[in-house]
Amino acid sequence: MFMAALLTATFSFVSAGSANAAACGNNASGFPAWVEQFRQEAAANGVKASVVDRALSSVSYSTATIRADRGQKSFKLSFDQFMQKRGGQTIISRGKAMKKSNAAMFARIEQRYGVPAGPLIAIWGMETGFGSFLGKEHTLSAVATLAYDCRRSDFFKDQLYAALQLVGSGSLRLDARGAAHGEIGQTQFLPRNVVKFGVDGDGDGRVDLVRSRADALASTANFLRGHGWRPGAGYQPGQPNFVALQGWNAASVYQQAIAYIGARIDGE
């Protein structure tokens, strides 16, 4: 289980070009040495040794993560193909029911963040089937593997520092499991986004993106607001809030699907 607290501490991040930076690699052979080198780098950047030791003691090279990272073929599909593969019509049908049965929650979220139910439900449905499957990969191993992998090492090294921050606060368990790239919770936040945008949506004093749909959806709305969402403006392609959807996922077909599904759920 994953529970993210509101966090104020930050870890400084030194780029891969610094003297203490661990060198990336493209296969499993160099991963153990990289982990040991990263321990030194993290310590040089002010991360407590106890946190690094606890977090990295549980990691291993994730071939499943690398396979998923190299095989994201669905983002190359046409819009119609993507909708069919993702079950777009089912998400619309179930999403309308979800909106109705959680009307008070969505009203509170929209009042606070300015984001209507439609795009939130579209993301929720496409990411995890409304929380029915959150992923099975070991979160810390997934993030560490991608931090080591040369393809996007700097980006995921920052995610690893964020994950260490969550471990240090007691917010991320060492055995936590999620999606293949280290995404967490019902709408699949990367660790850095948990730190930046995770909020308490149900008022229980903590942020739990796994067990609380209110927290997950309010955090998603907060993410969109943080990426330029303007209350009352449209979110279809060419409209002001489409840029916020682009912030959620870089694939244009995914952005279009959020906009299309969201509009049908919102009755536009």
Side-chain angles (χ1 to χ4, degrees):
M1 183 190 71
F2 172 85
M3 292 183 178
L6 292 176
L7 304 169
T8 57
T10 58
F11 292 143
S12 61
F13 174 68
V14 176
S15 71
S18 72
N20 293 319
C24 68
N26 291 313
N27 57 58
S29 64
F31 185 71
W34 179 89
V35 170
E36 292 308 311
Q37 193 175 358
F38 181 77
R39 288 178 189 269
Q40 300 175 31
E41 176 185 330
N45 286 333
V47 186
K48 291 182 178 179
S50 60
V51 171
V52 179
D53 289 342
R54 286 192 295 118
L56 297 185
S57 66
S58 64
V59 303
S60 60
Y61 186 82
S62 175
T63 55
T65 288
I66 295 298
R67 185 166 56 248
D69 187 62
R70 304 296 192 264
Q72 300 181 70
K73 297 179 181 178
S74 64
F75 295 140
K76 298 179 181 179
L77 299 174
S78 69
F79 176 76
D80 289 342
Q81 290 170 330
F82 184 83
M83 284 288 289
Q84 183 175 6
K85 184 176 180 64
R86 290 296 183 116
Q89 293 305 318
T90 298
I91 294 173
I92 292 169
S93 178
R94 287 192 61 196
K96 289 179 178 179
M98 287 288 190
K99 180 180 178 179
K100 185 176 181 180
S101 62
N102 295 277
M105 176 187 69
F106 283 114
R108 288 194 302 270
I109 291 173
E110 184 168 10
Q111 182 178 27
R112 183 174 181 182
Y113 300 103
V115 183
L120 299 178
I121 293 173
I123 290 169
W124 189 23
M126 283 199 291
E127 292 287 356
T128 66
F130 306 105
S132 64
F133 181 68
L134 307 186
K136 61 182 181 180
E137 304 306 326
H138 183 238
T139 298
L140 288 169
S141 291
V143 178
T145 296
L146 292 169
Y148 159 71
D149 185 65
C150 289
R151 181 166 176 259
R152 289 184 286 173
S153 181
D154 284 353
F155 176 82
F156 278 100
K157 190 177 287 187
D158 181 58
Q159 298 299 328
L160 183 54
Y161 273 100
L164 292 178
Q165 187 172 341
L166 297 174
V167 169
S169 71
S171 303
L172 178 63
R173 288 177 47 150
L174 300 182
D175 61 353
R177 291 189 175 271
H181 289 75
E183 303 96 333
I184 299 160
Q186 295 196 33
T187 57
Q188 303 286 267
F189 270 39
L190 286 169
R192 180 59 67 194
N193 287 332
V194 177
V195 173
K196 291 178 66 176
F197 300 109
V199 296
D200 175 15
D202 56 19
D204 68 353
R206 62 187 183 185
V207 179
D208 182 353
L209 302 186
V210 171
R211 294 190 174 186
S212 172
R213 62 177 53 174
D215 289 5
L217 293 165
S219 298
T220 305
N222 192 37
F223 176 98
L224 293 176
R225 184 176 69 173
H227 285 75
W229 190 279
R230 291 163 44 187
Y235 57 83
Q236 296 305 298
Q239 295 181 322
N241 285 330
F242 191 70
V243 67
L245 301 185
Q246 291 175 313
W248 181 264
N249 191 294
S252 60
V253 69
Y254 198 109
Q255 300 158 9
Q256 293 163 14
I258 295 174
Y260 180 89
I261 293 171
R264 271 63 190 171
I265 292 170
D266 281 337
E268 294 182 9

